[in-house]
Amino acid sequence: MNAEEMKRAAAARAAELVRDGMRLGLGTGSTARHFVAILGEKVRAGLKVVCVPTSEATRLQAEAEGIPLTTLDETPALDLTVDGADELDDSLRLIKGGGGALLREKIVAAASRRMVVIADGSKHVDVLGRFPLPIEVNPFGLRATQEAIAQVLAQRWPSAPLTLRRGGDGNPFVTDGGHFILDAALQRIEEPEALASDLVAIPGVVEHGLFLGLASGAVIATEAGLVELGE
Ligand code: 5RP
């Protein structure tokens, strides 16, 4: 199986968890895209669900698939969110935000009774951190916020690069919420909980890509078959 086939296999397994009448969160990224496509097929075959998308890109795809959408204002509690991840460990701790949707992804995951991660085996790691950690910041005071983050990181990572994410046009990448993203190349995050609480204490930090205690299960597609973690 190539990477796309593995993503699709994980998405198809997660789609088996969906039941009639469920309120769903729809993730963002190339793996979540497979889930939304499979869900669209089921909806057209008669499945009844309502869904909250975690990005404008997912909203557009879901609309094109004919999937009924709602908002967290109308539907504040969800049954299940299915989303991809940039990294996950055996304790279902995640790095997310490679696609820039981490803020809405985290709000939607937190509103869900159950969050299932879908991924190919390359995302499954022993220690988080090889994937640069996305940190979403308010554009106001960018430089001051960046320096405050760098000071916090320097306590454990004396020379970790912290880079403003840019789009293809060379301008800063802007999230759906109108924020910027700083990517921190940390290599190994031995204590994600400690880092998470340090980051949220910095004014100007809107959210970070450490998802801790949010995922309840994972479907990981490998060459040897599907591996399931959690519930
Ligand atoms: C977007 C995300 C994605 O879930 C993450 O980047 C994984 O994407 P992909 O499935 O394309 O590898 O967090 O913000």
Side-chain angles (χ1 to χ4, degrees), residues 4 7 27-33 54-55 83-87 95-103 105 118-120 123 131 134 165 181 209 211:
E4 275 325 295
K7 290 175 190 182
T28 295
S30 58
T31 317
R33 217 178 148 75
T54 55
S55 64
D83 201 350
D86 299 300
E87 283 186 352
I95 289 182
K96 284 185 54 57
L102 66 139
L103 176 59
E105 288 172 334
I118 49 176
D120 65 82
K123 309 288 185 64
F131 191 91
R165 191 181 297 183
I181 291 187
F211 282 48

Side-chain angles (χ1 to χ4, degrees), residues 8-34:
R8 177 128 187 137
R13 171 71 191 105
E16 292 172 12
L17 303 172
V18 176
R19 300 278 176 270
D20 228 24
M22 273 190 169
R23 302 156 297 176
L24 301 174
L26 303 179
T28 295
S30 58
T31 317
R33 217 178 148 75
H34 285 292

Side-chain angles (χ1 to χ4, degrees), residues 43-63:
V43 165
R44 291 192 294 281
L47 179 78
K48 297 270 178 286
V49 288
V50 287
C51 301
V52 177
T54 55
S55 64
E56 291 306 303
T58 298
R59 184 177 61 75
L60 290 175
Q61 186 199 357
E63 281 175 355

Side-chain angles (χ1 to χ4, degrees), residues 4 12 37 42 44 57 78 102 121-122 144 169 178 197 202 208 211:
E4 275 325 295
K42 286 177 177 267
R44 291 192 294 281
L78 304 177
L102 66 139
S122 68
D169 58 3
S197 58
I202 300 171
H208 56 77
F211 282 48

